[in-house]
Amino acid sequence: MAKKRKHVDRDEDTSQVPARIVPPSEPLPEGVHHYETIEEVPWDVQKYWHQGYSIFSKYDDGIWMTDDAWYGVTHESVANTISQHVSEAAPPNRSIIIDAFCGVGGNTIAFALSGKWKRVYGIEKDAATLACAKHNAEIYGVSDKITWFHGDCFEILGAMDGRTEKTVDALKAIAGQFGIIFASPPWGGPSYSNTEVFDLESMEPYTFSHLYKAFGKVTSNMVLYLPRTSDLRQIAQVVDGDKKIQVIHYCTNGSSRALCTYLGDWALLKLSPASSNGY
């Protein structure tokens, strides 16, 4: 018999069968999956699949994932905490937020759920991953709050050395005047976890300095989601004069998942006592 993951929530009646938005018989886009039993899951994804409810509490409602997305998606509790911090400390007159590497929508959905932003923009290069993000936003009831773009975030935002035909001039303009960029870029695999201090200039395919300089062409106000062992000296080097950068570790179950560096004109973050599911 196929073994399904057990979801125990003390605040819910676990005897009820979750309502599924997507019937199992509906064909999914190529590269997109909604695994229901361990036998369906590739061996290298299985440990992440067991954390499914931590990643998306509404997983049983029909959450879509690509196999690669399991490695990089932000856990829901962490995404919600980041969203809270960004909302509370955002620089003045910032009313839109751009998730430059939106993936399957973990952070984008949290930003939309916050009710803080006039508009949330999600950018994703991979078509299957973007299909997941759009679908998952519908499950969380926030699809009407998000505008999606398919393509390279640097091209779409006009963050290259020169404008390209894919640059969305209107988005670049409002981002410069009213926007914040949140970026959870690829880190280049798990090698960061094997080093005591991770060299941010070895991050692939985008180094820290590339991210900072490129997004800085659009707005000075950004949040970069980086490996937990990141070299803080490299982050500090981008600061001019006496300005300070706020760096927060975000944790689940007492262990750091990653850190966010807040660059720009952020208010001082007001942190409550650390918890196992926050920071």
Side-chain angles (χ1 to χ4, degrees):
M1 180 180 293
K3 182 180 179 182
K4 292 191 176 184
R5 178 181 49 243
K6 293 182 179 179
H7 181 196
V8 178
D9 189 329
R10 294 177 182 175
D11 296 324
E12 296 180 0
D13 181 358
T14 56
S15 65
Q16 295 180 354
V17 177
R20 295 189 181 279
I21 291 178
V22 182
S25 59
E26 179 181 325
L28 302 185
E30 184 177 356
V32 173
H33 308 281
H34 175 78
Y35 296 125
E36 296 185 27
T37 65
I38 191 66
E39 287 78 9
E40 299 172 303
V41 185
W43 68 269
D44 53 342
V45 176
Q46 289 182 4
K47 74 172 185 178
Y48 301 98
W49 181 78
H50 281 297
Q51 303 172 34
Y53 297 110
S54 172
I55 295 171
F56 282 111
S57 62
K58 293 181 179 289
Y59 183 84
D60 281 340
D61 286 4
I63 289 292
W64 287 1
M65 299 283 282
T66 66
D67 286 345
D68 286 342
W70 288 100
Y71 300 103
V73 63
T74 305
H75 283 229
E76 189 171 290
S77 62
V78 172
N80 289 338
T81 304
I82 292 172
S83 175
Q84 177 187 344
H85 288 168
V86 173
S87 295
E88 292 175 349
N93 302 319
R94 297 287 142 172
S95 57
I96 68 167
I97 189 163
I98 299 163
D99 190 346
F101 301 94
C102 75
V104 294
N107 291 104
T108 320
I109 291 168
F111 293 137
L113 285 169
S114 73
K116 159 74 175 178
W117 311 101
K118 288 185 177 179
R119 200 69 186 163
V120 178
Y121 296 88
I123 305 174
E124 175 53 46
K125 195 172 185 178
D126 180 71
T129 305
L130 182 60
C132 293
K134 291 179 177 179
H135 172 82
N136 296 340
E138 290 179 0
I139 288 178
Y140 277 82
V142 293
S143 58
D144 61 329
K145 302 179 184 299
I146 306 169
T147 299
W148 306 97
F149 290 95
H150 177 214
D152 183 286
C153 64
F154 302 107
E155 292 184 337
I156 289 172
L157 291 171
M160 312 288 283
D161 289 335
R163 185 187 181 281
T164 75
E165 61 181 12
K166 296 182 180 179
T167 298
V168 181
D169 293 319
L171 180 60
K172 182 178 181 179
I174 63 172
Q177 188 172 2
F178 303 110
I180 288 167
I181 292 177
F182 174 84
S184 177
W187 295 341
S191 61
Y192 72 89
S193 62
N194 299 324
T195 58
E196 195 169 313
V197 179
F198 179 68
D199 180 3
L200 288 169
E201 295 307 301
S202 70
M203 201 159 57
E204 297 178 353
Y206 313 111
T207 65
F208 172 76
S209 60
H210 172 78
L211 294 166
Y212 178 71
K213 291 175 183 177
F215 291 138
K217 296 175 183 176
V218 182
T219 176
S220 61
N221 297 300
M222 64 187 83
V223 182
L224 303 183
Y225 186 82
L226 302 170
R228 62 180 180 268
T229 56
S230 296
D231 189 339
L232 301 185
R233 294 168 298 181
Q234 292 176 310
I235 298 174
Q237 286 173 357
V238 306
V239 181
D240 294 327
D242 296 329
K243 283 191 174 182
K244 295 183 179 180
I245 296 176
Q246 297 181 80
V247 177
I248 309 295
H249 277 272
Y250 290 92
C251 308
T252 58
N253 299 320
S255 298
S256 176
R257 287 277 173 185
L259 60 82
C260 279
T261 177
Y262 290 76
L263 300 155
D265 301 318
W266 297 85
L268 183 64
L269 289 166
K270 297 177 181 179
L271 307 180
S272 60
S275 68
S276 61
N277 290 314
Y279 41 87

